[in-house]
Each structure stands twice: as structure tokens, then as C-alpha cells.
Amino acid sequence: MPTNFTVVPVKDGRRKAAEGQSEGEEDVDDNNELREEDEDVPGDGNPKESSPFINNTDNDKGNNYDGKNMALFEEEMDSNPMVSSLLNKLANYTNLTQGAQEHEEADDDEGSKKKTVKSPQMGTFMGVYLPCLQNILGVILFLRLTWIVGTAGIMESLAIVGMCCSCTMLTAISMSAIATNGVVPAGGSYYMISRSLGPEFGGAVGLCFYLGTTFAGSMYILGTIEILLTYIVPKAAIFVAERKEDEVDALLNNMRVYGTCCLALMSLVVFVGVKYVNKLALVFLACVILSILAIYAGVIKTAFEPPDFPVCLLGNRTLQNHNFDKCMKTEVIDNLTVTTKLWGLFCDGPALNASCNEYFVLNEVTVVQGIPGLASGVISENMWSDYGPLGMLVENKRQPSIPAADTSQDIYLPYVVNDITSFFTLLVGIYFPSVTGIMAGSNRSGDLRDAQKSIPIGTILAIATTSVIYVTSVVLFGACIEGVLLRDKFGDSVKGNLVIGTLSWPSPWVIVIGSFFSCCGAGLQSLTGAPRLLQAIARDGIVPFLQVFGHGKANGEPTWALLLTAGICEIGILIASLDAVAPILSMFFLMCYLFVNLACAVQTLLRTPNWRPRFKYYHWALSFLGMSLCLSLMFICSWYYAIVAMAIASCIYKYIEYRGAEKEWGDGIRGLSLNAARYALIRLEEAPPHTKNWRPQLLVLLNVDSDLGVKHPRLLSFTTQLKAGKGLTIVGNVLEGTYLTKDTEAKKAEQNIKASMTAERTKGFCHVVVSSNLRDGFSHLIQSAGLGGMKHNTVLMAWPGTWKQSNDPQSWKNFIETIRETTSAHQALLVAKNVDSFPTNQERLGEGTIDVWWVVHDGGMLMLLPFLLRQHKVWRKCKMRIFTVAQMDDNSIQMKKDLQMFLYHLRLDAEVEVVEMHDSDISAFTYEKTLVMEQRSQMLKQMQLSRTEREREIQSITDESRSSIRRKNQGGAQGSSPSRQSSQMEDTQEDEAQLIHDRNTASHAALNDKADAGPDRVHMTWTKEKLFTERNRNREPNANVAVRDLFNMRPEWESLNQSNVRRMHTAIKLNEVVVNKSQGAHLVLLNMPGPPRNRGGDENYMEFLEVLLEGLNRVLLVRGGGREVITIYS
């Protein structure tokens, strides 16, 4: 209800009382302009909220507050408006036409300047009750209700009316709750559903409602033409049937031709002057009301003076009374017995001895009154149903009848027959359109003085009124009209009169003319409303391919939408049968009503804070009952139409979900999803899942560049291929700094990451953390990402490819700490090396292999990952190969058999190969590699010194390296040649140690070749046991002299950490084997060695991994989480 405010100026306020009036007027104009600017968002239907407060504008920020009373809040004036200015804007806010008109004004190209809106003045009676009455009562009441009563009987007809009216009443209760929960702009049911259930449901149901309204236009036009050609001017038919069996086809063709002409004429009227259509609405409503009053008056008159409408029966068969005047076979004229016109219809000629139809000869002709009246007791005969197939004769079971032997000629004789096969569910579908139209009041909400009061009262009263009219009509028709006349759909037995017209008073023409104009008006209203509904959907921007239909004429009339509506309407007219079109629109309206009930039930059960309807007489159980009734009626009417309608709605839903614009309307489905997620998370135990349910729930640690762009988008592609949309994916990123200073960068980074996730089709969540340092940030993500039982169990990250070139050692230290923390958290770890060379989602890898190197048991991760990858179309053609390493003491043949059996039980298809690695001596290259690694490690430890000290340290390291190389050269060792070459090519001081490392690395292949040529000359070991072995071998006659020389020449090698030497040896040998077997593989999966327990060797660990992966293109290092992830059991 409107509330009056009295504003008392404060002494220190901005405005003085004397200036209040003039400035207030200016302020109103300003606010109107500002509202236009705020609403300049096409398709949202709501004012743009640039701040948390309604209609906050930049102009408010310029109003400096000069008073003293509110000085405590003066710093918040920029963002938080004063209550006085807020109320001023609310006072100027209007609920008028926030649907189509708002979209028109928001369109910069077509919109005109905002006009002053008159205050809405319509009340409940004129604004809601009468429009609903006009839309509900219509063509079915006049053309089909009598036939439904005669075919289904009074009892089943009451059941049909009761179901349909109960459905609309329950829907009206739900709609009233939604309509009174805030302002409902124009758009009616579409606006309510879309804002309650979200854009996907809103668009799907909105388009279904549009199709229903469009087919309703077809139905009304077909009704108009049926009245015109059957009851007003039958001679205007273009197609005339020469034979009785062709009458149905001729009627349908006439309907198509005249219907198309009528549609074109109505569309032209709507295009030229829609305002005249609205003005004529009351005239059309008056026709409906007068027709209904004429029916009731006629019923009352039949109680004491029934009208004379004789029905001619031959035996018990009803005859079409078109071509004869007298219901008799012969008559006596001037004492002569002559035949009548009826005789000529059944006999070969007018002569008394002519050959006649057998049934005509055996049975007599009788006349019964078509309208016996209320007092006749005919109600008892019309209580029960009389269904039948197509072509079944309409018979009066109470009349005597002698059957004929030959019935083959009956279809060519003037009997009244069923034009369609009739059954209960068909009648439900045909009748239901007569109860639609309950949304008319909500569609006019912008014109109502108090919409939240008028819509519930007017709609429910209109439904109650029409329900009473339908129920009483069913009973009265059954009590007044003979059964054979009720089942005569087109009134052929009463000389082509409208059956319901025979009951009316004072003349049948009252009903005929009234129903004709009623159908015309309803058709015009449909052709007016449907394009505007389509325009509202198009301007909401949720269905991209409908954007063109949002445009129209300069005054906002939806021209393109009208053309599409006329085209779809023509489809219904080409169907041509009113009985076939009615179930189609029943489907679409029932689906719309179903979702109105669903919206109310969802909002009520969720108890959303914004759900505060003024209409209190609703309950979720009523909404659920209404929803169930709608769904039941859909399948009762026509199960295949119901499936088609639901398929159309589902396709539109999925299209909007994947291609439509994202809208946030605070809809109930989001709240429902939140509640469902909360319920599922509470039920989901935080304990680890069973091995059979285990799948990698990924935390993807993603890096961004200086422009906050994603560094490695292929990491997201690999995530998509590994997950295929299943399970949990969290994409995390850490920015260094404080949140107060980096909040803007964090939001931008999150937007960029989400854009990359969309581009790579990665379904998941994005989480950007701002931390004082990267290490803590990654630690926080690993510990706290996820919620409850929905947490990640696997971390995916890229290999730090620039760790050697980076001046900041934190880059690889963070990497190693991340490995340690995932191990502590019992989470699996995946590290992708050369991730930028991984395939995109559009690539299709051809014949190739995914090679798994299973060195140590990791819980089955190495087995599971290739299986998951091969589910994706990128990797589908790849074969899986599993390599395992056998030591000297292992039985490689038995190992292969066991592994094949293990894979068989796991139901995995893979080739198995056991690679034997013999114990070999440590090569000189291994020692050199280890030496350079430790020298580089020593250099990195000095990076914290001052620049002068750093240069001095690097120089000393370089000199020491050179002297050691010279000593080796003097010793004449075979493996020292690459080092001598390296020392001769050194140029700079700061990069000396790195260059030594690079040269040694470059000569790795050459050394391997030499090792293959002469293993005894290159491979050696310097453990104590091997020391004595080598001395004994040197005493043999053919011993190699170079061994003794090398043994005596190792002063700098003795200082090396033997653990590092062994690790380097393992890395080199394993790398040789892997490169030899898997260099051409599409992907290599390898066990990832753990970092050293002693943090002092972290930089050496990176070197070990680098050597291990050298020469391989795509590598995925895998580290298990300490639990089994794959099982052989069912």
C-alpha cells in the first residue's frame, strides 16, 4: 500500500525550506534522467546496480556533505547514500512497464526519450478480473463443450472440468505468491519464471509459453473460420464435396485457405494499429458475456417452453437434416401417397417400387426433440460416456432398430457420424485450452493501482467464476439437450445450427455472432501478445539467435517478432483441425504452469530471505500438487506431444546453458543448487573415499605472467583431457603481496584464469590467493582448497623450466617445498615437463603410445592415469605400454608374467616389457657431472654475498675447476676430453661454472657412445670393495693400464658426496634406458623420486631430475599420495 511521508527540514541541512519546492522539482527530473542511465543495460529487466544501493549514481558522489550532524559518516558519503536521498529515489521509482518499454528505452539505437509516465489507475475488476475472464472463456466453450458433454457424459465431463480447473486454480495460487513477492514488470509468466528459476528455465519456458500463445492464435482463427463457414455463410466455401466421404477433406482445405487470409488480415491489423485492438477488447468481452447470459436465459426458458428443434432418426440412427424438410418416408397429398426428399436419399428413385437401402426399408423414421428441456429427465441418459472410432454412427440407444445385413454403403448415406476417434484423454487435451488465460492479470501488472492486491484477488475470482460457468454448463447441457444432438459436433441434425445456439435465447444468432467476435478478438489478442513476449525474451539476451527479434519499429512495436509469430501461426492453420491444434497448445501451457508451481515450491522450501509474498494463502504442498497435476495432464492429453514439448524445452535449456548470456537474477535454482550442495557436502564424509571410487580431484597450480595472463594454458588442456568434466578441479594461483594492495590484480588474474578455463573447456573453480610470499601461498592452497569432504587429492603443476636461468633461487625452492608439502598432506603429485608441447583439445593424436615406467609402487597412479587419459578423444588412439625395471637378482620372465596377470585383473589393456638394468660401474662422466653440480651448488650458496664478494667467489670456483681439469688431462683419462674442450672455450667469469656444466651435458651422448664401444675402459666404481677388486684386476696380464692411471688421478673426486654420485649414476642410467625405449612416445609417465630429507641438497635434487628427464619431450612425473587408488576387486 502507498505510504505518505512528511519530510521536516533540519536546520543544518543542505537545502533550506524556502528552496525546497523548486529544487525538489529539479531533483525529480535529475532522478528520471539518472534512472535512464542506470537502466541502460539491454535485457536485464532490472535497474543496473553500480553500487550495493538502489540507483546510486556518480552524481551523488559529487554532492559534498557540509553539515555537522552527520560528520561521523562524512567519509562514507562517497559510497553510502544518505537515507533522505535514497527515499527520494524510491519515491520516484515506479513499477510501471519494466518489461518491454524499459528494454525499448534502453536501446540506444531505437529508444526514444523517456516520457512522463502516468500513474496507474486500474483496479482489480477492470485490470485483472475482466481480462482474465475474456481470455479464459472462448472458442472451446462455444464450439466443443456440448460435444465433450455428449461424448464423455456428464460424470466424466465433470472430471475433465474438475482436473483442468483445479490445475489452473493451484497454478493461480502459486502465481499469486510469486506476483506479490515484489514488483512484477510486464512480461507476466515469463518474467516470473525466469527471475524465480533462472535464465535457463526462464528462456525454455518463456519460449514454450510463446509457442503456446502463438498456437492459441491459430486455434482462435480456426474457430473463427469454422463459425463463418459452418454456421454463418456455408455457401462461401471454395471447396465443395461432391461425395459425403470427401466432406472432411473439403472442410479442412477451406479452413486452410480462409484461415491463411484471416491470419494475414489480423497480422496487418496488429501491425498497423495495436492500440485499436486493445480498445476493442472490451467490445469482444461484452460479446462473450452476452452469449453466456443468452445460454443461461435459454436454459431457464426450456424449463417451461422448450424450443422446437426436431431431430430426425432412422431407426436409432441420427440423420443429417440438410437436404430434406420433412422427417418421413412418404406423405399423402390429394389422397396420393408420394415419396419425400428423404426417400430419394436412400432409394434409387422417387418411385414407390424403387430399390432402397436395406436399413431404410427395415426401420421407421421418428422425430425427437433436440432440446427436450430441464424437466424432461434426459439428464439420466447423458450421465455416461459414448466414445467411438472414426466414422461411428451417432445413435440413440433407446430407439428400436433392426440391423441390416449389408452396412458397406452406410458411409455414403446422410447419417451423422464421428469425424474423429474419441476417447477420454483426447477430450482432456481439447478442453484444456478453455481454462488457459489465467496470466492475463499478471501481464497487466504495470497498469494496476495496487498489483500485489489486485492480481491474487482478480485471478482467483476469475478462475472461480469460469469454473462455476463450466461446471454448470456441463450439467445444464446434459439436462436440457438430447444425447444425439450433443454428439453432433457441427449441428448437422438441426439444419447446420450451432448446437449451443439451439439452447440460447432469444435466437441462435446471438451465440453465433457473439462467438464469432469472441474468437476474432482472442485471435487478435494472441497475435498482439505473442510477439511482445518474444521481444522480451530476445531483449533479455539469453538466447543469442533470437537477438534480431528484439528490434522493431521506432515506437517499439515488434515487427520481426510479429512476422515470426505469423509464420508459426500459419503452421497451426495448415493443420486445419481445431481438435488437432488444441492438444498442442495444451502442452505448452501446461509446461508453463508446471514451472510456475515449481518456482513457488522451490522458493518456499528454500526459505530464501527475499521470499516474502504479501499473498499468504499458499503452501509448498499445493504448489507441488499443482506441478504433479500439470505433468499428469500433459501425458493424459497426449504422451507423444508431451515428450516433444519436453524435448523442445530441454533443447532450449541446454542451448541457453552453453551458448546463452550469463545472467544473475537471484533465481531459486541457484539457491536450490546451494542447498543441495550443502546437503551433499554434509553427507560426504571427510574420510578418504573407497579405492573403487577414487579419482584424481585436482588442484592445478597455475602461474601467471607480469600481465596477469596464464603462462601455461596447455596445463588446463591436459586437466580437461584427464578429468573429462568429472570430479573436482580447482585452479589455484598465488600473487605475492598483500590483499589490500593486490585485490584488483587478484580479480583480474581470476578473470583471466576463468577465461582460459572456458577456452580450454576446463570445468572447475578458480581460486586466487594473495600471500606475502609464494611459498606460503602455495602451502595455504594445498592445505585449505576445497570444502569438507570435497577436497583435492592430487596436485598438478608445471615443471619450472627456467630454474637454472633464474637469478632467484626461490623459484626451484618453492617447487621442492611444494613436493614436500603434498607428501606431508598425503596427496598425489603430477608434474608436467615441457607442458607447452602437450596436445590441445582440438588435436587428435594418431597411432602412438603412452609409456609408463613403473619403477616403484605408488598405489596404482601410473596405471590409472593412462586409462583416464585414453577416455578423452585426444588420446583415444594411443596404446598403453608398461615398462618395469628388473635388477640382477630378479627373475624378469616371472616378473613379466606377474605384471600381465596384474593388468588382466585390473581390466587394463597394455603391452608389458621388463627392462633389465645390470649393476655397472660408475662412469667418469658421472663423476664429472656430480663435480660440476656440486660446484654450481657451492656457487649458488654464495649468491647472498655482496657483488664484489660474489665475483671473487665465482672466480675462485672457476679457477679451481680449471686446475682440476688440467690435472685430469695430465692423468690421461679417457673421459676427460670433453672437460678439456670446455675449459678452452670459457669466456666470462660469472657464468664459468654454468658453462662447464653445459659443455659436459652436451658431450653426454658422445660419452655414451664410447661407453657402449668399450665399457671396461669407461665404467668404474670407487667404493672400498671395488678398490681391491680393481687392484687385483690390475695384476692380471691383460689388465688395462688406463685404469691404474685414472685410479691414481682422483684427488678432487674423493671429496665428492658418494650419495650424490650414486644418485647421479641412477639418473643417467635410467635416462639412457627410458630414452632408448620411449623417445618416440606421445607421453612418458615416470615415478618421481622424492626430495632429500636434508634440505641442503635441494639444488642437487633438481639437477638429478633434469638429468633423468633429458632427451624426453612430454613427460609426466607422478608421485603417489600414499594410498591405493586402483583395485582388482569389483
Side-chain angles (χ1 to χ4, degrees), residues 403-561:
D406 183 16
T407 60
S408 60
Q409 298 299 312
D410 289 349
I411 59 173
Y412 305 109
L413 298 174
Y415 294 123
V416 177
V417 297
N418 284 354
D419 65 326
I420 60 172
T421 302
S422 57
F423 43 90
F424 178 78
T425 57
L426 173 73
L427 300 188
V428 175
I430 293 175
Y431 173 76
F432 188 81
S434 64
V435 297
T436 60
I438 62 174
M439 302 289 185
S442 63
N443 290 340
R444 294 169 177 248
S445 60
D447 302 326
L448 301 174
R449 189 184 302 116
D450 186 0
Q452 299 196 3
K453 176 183 177 184
S454 298
I455 290 177
I457 296 175
T459 305
I460 291 175
L461 280 179
I463 293 174
T465 304
T466 53
S467 299
V468 170
I469 291 173
Y470 285 130
V471 170
T472 55
S473 296
V474 167
V475 175
L476 293 176
F477 292 165
C480 296
I481 305 175
E482 178 64 40
V484 292
L485 181 56
L486 284 174
R487 293 192 292 279
D488 183 5
K489 184 185 290 185
F490 301 107
D492 293 323
S493 61
V494 285
K495 295 187 179 296
N497 276 300
L498 183 61
V499 175
I500 197 173
T502 61
L503 188 62
S504 63
W505 180 87
S507 168
W509 286 100
V510 176
I511 296 290
V512 172
I513 301 300
S515 58
F516 178 78
F517 283 111
S518 169
C519 291
C520 282
L524 286 171
Q525 291 285 349
S526 297
L527 288 177
T528 304
R532 278 160 177 71
L533 178 59
L534 181 62
Q535 187 183 46
I537 298 172
R539 292 200 171 190
D540 257 353
I542 58 175
V543 185
F545 70 84
L546 291 180
Q547 295 285 350
V548 64
F549 300 109
H551 305 292
K553 293 194 294 186
N555 60 353
E557 292 299 323
T559 309
W560 295 107

Side-chain angles (χ1 to χ4, degrees), residues 960-994:
E960 184 180 348
S961 176
R962 283 177 174 170
S963 63
S964 66
I965 292 171
R966 291 193 189 99
R967 286 197 298 273
K968 283 187 292 179
N969 293 339
Q970 293 168 3
Q974 293 291 333
S976 63
S977 175
S979 298
R980 183 170 66 252
Q981 294 174 6
S982 298
S983 64
Q984 293 172 356
M985 298 179 64
E986 304 298 344
D987 297 317
T988 63
Q989 295 180 348
E990 292 185 2
D991 298 329
E992 192 75 29
Q994 181 63 43

Side-chain angles (χ1 to χ4, degrees), residues 144 219 221-227 229-230 239 248-262 490 573-578:
R144 292 292 183 268
M219 185 186 71
I221 292 173
L222 290 175
T224 302
I225 303 305
E226 184 177 312
I227 294 170
L229 295 180
T230 308
F239 300 91
V248 175
D249 293 333
L251 175 62
L252 294 180
N253 288 329
N254 285 319
M255 301 279 276
R256 293 184 179 105
V257 173
Y258 277 96
T260 302
C261 297
C262 183
F490 301 107
I573 288 171
L574 292 177
I575 295 174
S577 171
L578 184 70

